[in-house]
Amino acid sequence: MITHSLAGDRRDTTVSIRPDRRMIFGGDYNPEQWPESVWPDDVRLMTEAGVTTVTLGVFSWAAIEPADGVFEFGWLDRIMGLLHEAGIGVALATPTAAPPMWLIEQHPEIMTVDESGMPTGRGGRLGWSPSSVVFREHALRMVRALAEHVADHPALVLWHVSNEISNENGHTYDDETAVAFRLWLEARHSTIERLNDAWGTSFWGHTYPDFEHVRPPRSARTHHNPALLLDFERFTSDALLGHYLAEREVLREVTPDVPITTNFMVMRSGGVADYERWAREVDVVSNDHYTMGADPRRHEELSFSAARTRGMAGGGPWLLMEHSTSSVNWQKLNLAKGPDEMLRNSLAHVAHGADGVSFFQWRQSRSGAEQWHSGMVPHAGPESQVFRDVCRLGAVLGRLDRVVGSSVARGDVAIVWDQQSVWALSTSRTPHDDLPFHDLPIAVHAAASRAHLGVDVVPVDDDWSNYPVVVLPNLWLAAEGMTERVDAYVRDGGHLIVTCRSGIVNSDDQVLLGGYPGAYRETLGVRVDEFFPVPGDTVVTAADGGGATWGARHWTERVEATRASVLWRWVDGPRAGEPAVTLNAVGTGEAVHVSTMPDAAGWDALLASLAGRWELRPTVTAPPAVEAVTRRTQDGTDVVFLLNHGDEEARVGLAGHDHVTDAPFKGVVPAGGVAVVATTAEEARA
Ligand code: GLA
Ligand code: GLA
């Protein structure tokens, strides 16, 4: 039986993965998909492109252990040798994302079971239950054999545990999981009476006489108890993390000096994992990120993702473990990237703290489920635009080794992220259930970027009390102590922005009574007695009384300003004439309530007026389309990344060396282009 309890043991974030402090540049390399005669060509092309590190072995369990207990490392030795000779480091994956056919054949019970009780068929990847004892034993035996075999290999720079744990084994409703879930619930609630109380099981007469009666939430004909669903999310995240920790234990024992990561998917909507918590268990945070090709504002989502990943890494460096050179093959329409888009994407991640840029995958597959996913070497071979772009990126990254290990300059604005709220909002049936959680935090982050206010994304459990401005964007759930934390922050001079759908329920998903938002209504000086969602694309208009207006969508509320003053009122929509945005002075600080989801112009107007009021200064003088992010190196150099997301060239008054053109910066960033300007303290003053 597997119990899931967590260690909470993270080593210091590794400052530099490669001993020579070079940028990580490369991708997933799957040589087992190709005849060995191709390998020398691969290594030659990697050298040409400036590749420094590849991720090897992600799906190679069947190649390493072709039969139960029979290990085969010859091929791995040969390819690691070739890579090492060329100076290319290896992030070695433990291939547990690819359980071999013989294992599934022998032990079909290791597989996840879906909500209807159907076991997952073979033919995919991951697919195993993190509570399966048999799977765990086979996985750890193989990981140990692999680690012992490569322990002293000079090419090994990083362990990459499994691959996107949770991606294809997110929720499972199998019998071993039922046992593990019950044990987890006992540890959380200690008695069945407390569980019944926390979940409010008197509703529909769901009272449990005993923990033995609780089951994972398989399909029912109605919605399940949302508090049960919320605990099942928490349990699932812990169970999956538990698998990572079990592998980590073996790796630390065998190779104590090799740092360990597992690749996150922080923007996977809904999010099965509480990555802010997982981040405390990895030596270096790494993330996979793919843009939605048809989304015209995909750069905003990318920047938010990168900033959030940086927040998990405590503001320090992290790795972009995967993205794509061009199209993916899993969207409805898989658009190829436009001119310079791959360079812009890559450097945006580096701007936000990535010390490496890697791709899925090195050579585009000829066969298999991902044959139409782009790679660094496309089907056409090196004579291709994609490979030329890869080489250009490699050259630029080669000039950016100086930023390795540096942090991003701290911002004035902290956007607080809370995975518990993501889950609580998705497990409940609320007045508007068609609002992707990410939209609001992304909109705030993008508006702050356009205004050139330094902005960070900070985990709710971290200390954000020193930020001049703190934003709580749809933080539906307020954990114990949050009300006091938030109130003290404002009293001590903080500037708080709370959006709609924040502070509504406690940790057990129970509504905080007496008027919304129960957790913050005293601090905000408002009381809401009913929500008024707005259908479809209907735009409602707010005005400041001085002639300025902006539009908002999706959500309004009947707001009574009990102590707050009204900054903006509705001129139309279901609450015409009533408050839309209020401000309350508390102690030496101010608390703003935004009772809706403003559109981009709305956030621009709100932030412009609040930035003036709160005396926030822009970090650079540049047009709004230019995103500017600064990494500060140990030697006192500011490296300013200027990403022009617009379709006109942009003038920026900065002097220094541009690492993209490898020439002095001329003060102009081309449309869709990037400049990476290193300014020493003296140059910046000049
Ligand atoms: C039906 C049921 C009620 C309640 C309402 C909600 O009428 O009988 O118990 O669920 O739907 O609309
Ligand atoms: C994920 C996986 C990769 C690959 C890519 C395709 O990131 O980790 O193995 O499937 O998606 O986009």
Side-chain angles (χ1 to χ4, degrees):
M1 171 193 313
I2 287 184
T3 57
H4 300 296
S5 60
L6 306 180
D9 168 24
R10 171 191 184 160
R11 294 179 174 183
D12 287 350
T13 302
T14 319
V15 170
S16 161
I17 300 300
R18 291 186 50 98
D20 57 7
R21 293 183 67 93
R22 293 191 60 197
M23 274 271 167
I24 301 270
F25 173 53
D28 280 13
Y29 178 37
N30 302 305
E32 68 275 19
Q33 291 179 11
W34 298 92
E36 249 182 87
S37 55
V38 175
W39 299 357
D41 204 39
D42 282 335
V43 175
R44 183 182 58 77
L45 291 173
M46 286 175 191
T47 307
E48 193 178 319
V51 164
T52 64
T53 315
V54 292
T55 306
L56 202 61
V58 176
F59 299 111
S60 65
W61 191 342
I64 285 173
E65 191 181 2
D68 196 357
V70 178
F71 293 97
E72 169 57 62
F73 293 112
W75 67 273
L76 188 64
D77 294 340
R78 290 194 293 281
I79 190 62
M80 282 182 75
L82 280 179
L83 291 165
H84 181 61
E85 273 169 38
I88 297 168
V90 172
L92 190 60
T94 62
T96 45
M101 290 295 176
W102 60 257
L103 178 57
I104 304 174
E105 184 71 33
Q106 244 167 275
H107 293 289
E109 76 279 10
I110 67 172
M111 299 304 274
T112 52
V113 166
D114 72 13
E115 274 177 277
S116 68
M118 282 290 288
T120 304
R122 68 200 62 185
R125 55 183 185 178
L126 285 166
W128 41 264
S129 167
S131 298
S132 163
V133 175
V134 169
F135 178 75
R136 181 73 61 86
E137 283 167 1
H138 280 82
L140 296 188
R141 182 182 66 178
M142 179 273 296
V143 168
R144 182 175 293 277
L146 174 64
E148 284 173 350
H149 187 81
V150 298
D152 298 318
H153 202 291
L156 177 64
V157 294
L158 178 68
W159 281 112
H160 173 299
V161 169
S162 203
N163 189 63
E164 295 187 342
I165 299 172
S166 85
N167 195 354
E168 288 99 354
N169 60 350
H171 294 104
T172 173
Y173 306 81
D174 61 272
D175 293 340
E176 279 181 285
T177 289
V179 175
F181 183 40
R182 287 197 285 267
L183 287 170
W184 185 95
L185 288 169
E186 273 195 73
R188 179 177 172 84
H189 298 285
S190 55
T191 66
I192 197 67
E193 291 75 25
R194 287 205 196 146
L195 176 142
N196 280 312
D197 193 39
W199 288 3
T201 53
S202 52
F203 187 83
W204 286 351
H206 282 175
T207 314
Y208 293 98
D210 199 284
F211 282 103
E212 287 301 307
H213 294 238
V214 186
R215 299 273 184 287
R218 284 198 183 174
S219 325
R221 292 201 176 207
T222 63
H223 191 60
H224 274 286
N225 182 322
L228 181 162
L229 295 177
L230 177 58
D231 270 351
F232 192 61
E233 293 292 342
R234 291 169 171 146
F235 158 79
T236 298
S237 176
D238 285 358
L240 292 159
L241 179 59
H243 179 84
Y244 162 79
L245 292 174
E247 286 200 32
R248 187 186 70 175
E249 199 175 309
V250 173
L251 297 173
R252 280 204 177 160
E253 186 193 321
V254 182
T255 55
D257 299 327
V258 181
I260 304 173
T261 192
T262 185
N263 48 340
F264 296 172
M265 309 167 281
V266 308
M267 294 303 277
R268 179 53 63 87
S269 93
V272 175
D274 184 353
Y275 283 129
E276 274 70 11
R277 180 147 183 218
W278 288 36
R280 297 182 217 148
E281 308 289 350
V282 294
D283 297 329
V284 58
V285 171
S286 63
N287 189 44
D288 295 353
H289 185 269
Y290 291 90
T291 52
M292 297 302 288
D295 175 4
R297 310 205 71 84
R298 55 193 178 277
H299 60 278
E300 294 179 357
E301 191 268 353
L302 186 157
S303 292
F304 180 83
S305 164
R308 189 178 151 214
T309 310
R310 171 176 92 237
M312 285 178 206
W318 54 279
L319 294 179
L320 177 67
M321 194 58 92
E322 288 182 26
H323 71 153
S324 65
T325 54
S326 191
S327 72
V328 299
N329 73 330
W330 45 263
Q331 296 169 11
K332 285 216 171 97
L333 171 67
N334 296 297
L335 296 176
K337 289 195 178 176
D340 281 349
E341 187 169 352
M342 191 263 278
L343 181 76
R344 217 161 50 238
N345 291 170
S346 300
L347 293 180
H349 288 287
V350 177
H352 285 281
D355 272 359
V357 172
S358 297
F359 295 90
F360 174 83
Q361 60 179 331
W362 167 250
R363 211 178 255 281
Q364 183 173 15
S365 298
R366 192 173 186 192
S367 325
E370 300 188 296
Q371 62 189 160
W372 293 105
H373 191 293
S374 60
M376 296 169 80
V377 182
H379 290 152
E383 292 302 320
S384 57
Q385 188 60 43
V386 164
F387 189 70
R388 283 189 287 275
D389 290 346
V390 163
C391 292
R392 177 165 176 236
L393 174 63
V396 173
L397 291 176
R399 294 192 285 269
L400 286 176
D401 289 341
R402 68 188 300 177
V403 304
V404 169
S406 68
S407 293
V408 173
R410 199 168 189 267
D412 285 341
V413 180
I415 297 175
V416 177
W417 182 273
D418 175 23
Q419 186 63 30
Q420 303 286 317
S421 287
V422 181
W423 288 335
L425 257 172
S426 67
T427 53
S428 240
R429 293 218 163 146
T430 69
H432 195 323
D433 271 343
D434 200 16
L435 300 176
F437 187 91
H438 295 112
D439 289 0
L440 243 175
I442 291 172
V444 179
H445 187 265
S449 297
R450 286 192 293 273
H452 302 302
L453 301 174
V455 52
D456 297 334
V457 182
V458 183
V460 67
D461 291 333
D462 281 13
D463 182 9
W464 30 259
S465 62
N466 289 327
Y467 279 90
V469 179
V470 166
V471 187
L472 309 186
N474 50 36
L475 296 204
W476 184 254
L477 181 149
E480 220 180 284
M482 189 66 177
T483 301
E484 294 74 21
R485 269 181 92 188
V486 166
D487 194 67
Y489 165 74
V490 182
R491 261 171 220 293
D492 291 350
H495 303 118
L496 174 74
I497 300 175
V498 176
T499 75
C500 62
R501 306 203 304 160
S502 295
I504 308 299
V505 302
N506 69 13
S507 296
D508 291 321
D509 197 32
Q510 296 168 338
V511 175
L512 298 161
L513 303 176
Y516 315 118
Y520 311 125
R521 69 172 178 254
E522 292 302 320
T523 309
L524 294 170
V526 299
R527 184 172 178 276
V528 173
D529 74 344
E530 194 171 355
F531 300 132
F532 292 82
V534 180
D537 275 338
T538 306
V539 176
V540 284
T541 313
D544 67 354
T549 62
W550 44 262
R553 279 166 222 258
H554 307 310
W555 191 277
T556 62
E557 308 178 337
R558 181 159 50 218
V559 179
E560 182 197 348
T562 49
R563 279 198 307 281
S565 47
V566 180
L567 295 185
W568 300 76
R569 271 181 203 279
W570 295 118
V571 294
D572 56 23
R575 304 313 323 153
E578 296 178 8
V581 178
T582 56
L583 181 142
N584 194 33
V586 184
T588 52
E590 292 185 329
V592 171
H593 183 229
V594 180
S595 68
T596 187
M597 296 179 65
D599 59 21
W603 280 115
D604 288 344
L606 278 170
L607 287 188
S609 72
L610 293 173
R613 184 181 179 97
W614 294 337
E615 296 178 353
L616 304 175
R617 274 199 300 274
T619 55
V620 296
T621 307
V626 174
E627 183 181 356
V629 190
T630 300
R631 291 187 70 167
R632 193 152 291 160
T633 66
Q634 268 101 1
D635 67 4
T637 306
D638 273 358
V639 181
V640 187
F641 289 72
L642 300 167
L643 303 140
N644 186 355
H645 300 298
D647 43 23
E648 285 169 26
E649 68 170 34
R651 306 207 147 264
V652 182
L654 262 187
H657 187 81
D658 177 7
H659 285 298
V660 174
T661 55
D662 202 14
F665 179 58
K666 295 203 185 76
V668 174
V669 190
V674 191
V676 180
V677 185
T679 59
T680 59
E682 298 78 63
E683 278 171 324
R685 271 194 296 275

